[in-house]
Coordinates of all heavy atoms in Angstrom, one line a residue:
D23 N 14.6 -0.5 3.1 CA 15.7 0.0 2.2 C 15.4 1.6 2.1 O 16.4 2.4 2.2 CB 15.6 -0.6 0.8 CG 17.0 -0.3 0.0 OD1 17.5 0.8 0.1 OD2 17.3 -1.0 -1.0
G28 N 16.9 7.5 4.1 CA 16.5 8.7 4.5 C 15.2 9.1 4.0 O 14.8 10.3 4.3
G42 N 0.4 -13.9 4.3 CA 0.0 -14.4 3.1 C 1.2 -15.2 2.4 O 1.7 -16.1 3.1
L76 N 22.6 -12.7 1.6 CA 21.4 -12.8 2.5 C 21.8 -13.7 3.8 O 21.6 -13.3 5.0 CB 20.2 -13.4 2.0 CG 19.4 -12.6 0.8 CD1 18.3 -13.4 0.4 CD2 19.1 -11.3 1.4
M87 N 22.3 -25.2 3.2 CA 21.8 -26.6 3.3 C 22.3 -27.4 1.9 O 22.4 -26.8 1.0 CB 20.3 -26.6 3.3 CG 19.6 -27.9 3.5 SD 17.8 -27.7 3.8 CE 17.8 -27.3 5.6
F89 N 21.7 -30.2 -0.9 CA 20.5 -30.9 -1.4 C 21.0 -32.0 -2.2 O 21.9 -32.0 -3.0 CB 19.7 -29.8 -2.3 CG 19.1 -28.9 -1.6 CD1 19.6 -27.8 -1.0 CD2 17.6 -29.0 -1.4 CE1 18.9 -26.8 -0.2 CE2 16.9 -28.0 -0.6 CZ 17.6 -27.1 0.0
V159 N 9.3 -10.1 9.3 CA 9.1 -9.4 10.5 C 10.4 -8.6 10.9 O 10.3 -7.4 11.4 CB 8.5 -10.0 11.6 CG1 9.5 -10.9 12.4 CG2 7.8 -9.1 12.7
R163 N 10.8 -4.7 11.5 CA 11.5 -4.2 12.7 C 12.5 -3.2 12.3 O 12.7 -2.1 13.0 CB 11.9 -5.3 13.6 CG 12.6 -5.0 14.8 CD 11.7 -4.5 15.8 NE 11.7 -3.0 15.8 CZ 10.8 -2.2 16.4 NH1 9.7 -2.8 16.9 NH2 10.8 -0.9 16.3
R168 N 14.5 2.4 11.8 CA 15.1 3.5 11.0 C 14.1 4.6 10.7 O 14.5 5.5 9.9 CB 15.7 2.9 9.7 CG 16.9 1.9 9.9 CD 17.2 1.3 8.7 NE 18.2 0.2 9.0 CZ 19.5 0.4 9.1 NH1 20.1 1.6 9.0 NH2 20.3 -0.7 9.4
S180 N -8.9 3.4 0.4 CA -8.8 4.1 -0.9 C -7.5 4.9 -0.9 O -6.9 5.1 0.2 CB -10.0 5.0 -1.1 OG -9.9 6.1 -0.1
L187 N -0.4 14.9 -4.6 CA 0.1 14.0 -3.6 C -1.0 12.8 -3.6 O -2.0 12.9 -4.2 CB -0.1 14.7 -2.2 CG 1.0 15.8 -1.9 CD1 0.5 16.4 -0.7 CD2 2.4 15.3 -1.9
E194 N -8.1 0.6 10.8 CA -7.5 -0.5 11.5 C -8.6 -1.6 11.8 O -9.7 -1.4 12.1 CB -7.2 0.0 13.0 CG -6.0 1.0 13.0 CD -5.7 1.5 14.5 OE1 -6.4 1.0 15.4 OE2 -4.8 2.3 14.6
T202 N -6.3 9.1 7.9 CA -5.8 9.6 6.5 C -4.3 9.9 6.6 O -3.9 10.6 7.4 CB -6.7 11.0 6.3 OG1 -8.1 10.7 6.3 CG2 -6.4 11.4 4.8
Q236 N -1.2 -21.7 -6.7 CA -1.3 -22.3 -5.3 C -0.2 -23.2 -5.1 O 0.1 -24.1 -5.9 CB -2.5 -23.0 -5.1 CG -2.7 -23.7 -3.8 CD -4.0 -24.3 -3.5 OE1 -4.9 -24.1 -4.4 NE2 -4.2 -25.0 -2.4
A301 N 4.2 -38.7 -4.3 CA 5.5 -38.3 -5.1 C 6.7 -38.7 -4.1 O 7.7 -39.2 -4.6 CB 5.5 -36.8 -5.3
D328 N 2.8 -13.9 -17.6 CA 3.5 -13.8 -18.8 C 2.9 -14.8 -19.9 O 3.5 -15.1 -20.9 CB 4.9 -14.2 -18.6 CG 5.2 -15.7 -18.2 OD1 4.1 -16.3 -17.8 OD2 6.3 -16.2 -18.0
Y363 N 14.3 -10.8 -2.8 CA 13.6 -9.6 -2.3 C 14.5 -8.4 -2.1 O 14.1 -7.2 -2.2 CB 12.9 -9.9 -1.0 CG 13.7 -9.6 0.3 CD1 13.6 -8.4 1.0 CD2 14.6 -10.5 0.8 CE1 14.4 -8.0 2.0 CE2 15.4 -10.2 1.9 CZ 15.4 -9.0 2.6 OH 16.1 -8.6 3.6
E372 N 15.4 2.4 -7.2 CA 15.9 3.2 -8.4 C 14.7 3.8 -9.1 O 14.8 4.9 -9.5 CB 16.5 2.1 -9.5 CG 17.9 1.6 -9.0 CD 18.4 0.5 -9.9 OE1 17.8 0.2 -10.9 OE2 19.4 -0.2 -9.5
P392 N 18.1 -7.4 12.3 CA 18.2 -7.4 13.7 C 18.5 -8.7 14.3 O 17.8 -9.7 13.9 CB 16.8 -6.9 14.1 CG 16.3 -6.0 13.1 CD 16.8 -6.6 11.8
G428 N 19.1 -14.5 17.2 CA 20.4 -14.2 17.1 C 21.0 -13.5 18.3 O 20.8 -13.9 19.5
A431 N 18.8 -12.6 21.5 CA 18.3 -13.7 22.4 C 18.5 -13.2 23.9 O 17.8 -13.4 24.8 CB 19.0 -15.0 22.1
D471 N -0.1 -15.6 15.7 CA 1.1 -14.8 15.3 C 2.3 -15.5 15.9 O 3.3 -15.5 15.3 CB 1.0 -13.3 15.8 CG -0.4 -12.6 15.3 OD1 -0.9 -13.2 14.4 OD2 -0.6 -11.5 15.8
R476 N 5.9 -16.0 14.1 CA 7.1 -15.6 14.9 C 7.9 -16.8 15.3 O 9.1 -16.8 15.3 CB 6.8 -14.8 16.1 CG 5.9 -13.6 15.9 CD 6.4 -12.6 14.8 NE 5.6 -11.4 14.8 CZ 4.5 -11.3 14.1 NH1 4.0 -12.3 13.4 NH2 3.7 -10.1 14.1
M495 N -2.7 -13.4 26.0 CA -2.3 -12.3 25.1 C -3.6 -11.5 24.9 O -3.4 -10.1 24.9 CB -2.0 -12.7 23.7 CG -0.6 -13.5 23.6 SD -0.1 -14.1 22.1 CE 0.4 -12.5 21.3
I498 N -3.6 -8.8 27.8 CA -2.6 -7.9 28.0 C -2.9 -6.4 27.9 O -2.5 -5.6 28.7 CB -1.3 -8.3 27.2 CG1 -0.5 -9.4 27.8 CG2 -0.4 -7.2 26.9 CD1 0.6 -9.9 27.1
A500 N -5.6 -4.9 28.4 CA -6.5 -4.4 29.7 C -5.5 -4.4 30.9 O -5.6 -3.4 31.6 CB -7.5 -5.4 29.9

Side-chain angles (χ1 to χ4, degrees):
D23 194 334
L76 295 180
M87 189 173 274
F89 287 79
V159 81
R163 178 68 265 160
R168 295 173 188 277
S180 71
L187 295 172
E194 291 179 6
T202 303
Q236 178 174 354
D328 61 355
Y363 94 89
E372 290 171 10
D471 303 349
R476 308 304 187 277
M495 293 183 73
I498 278 181

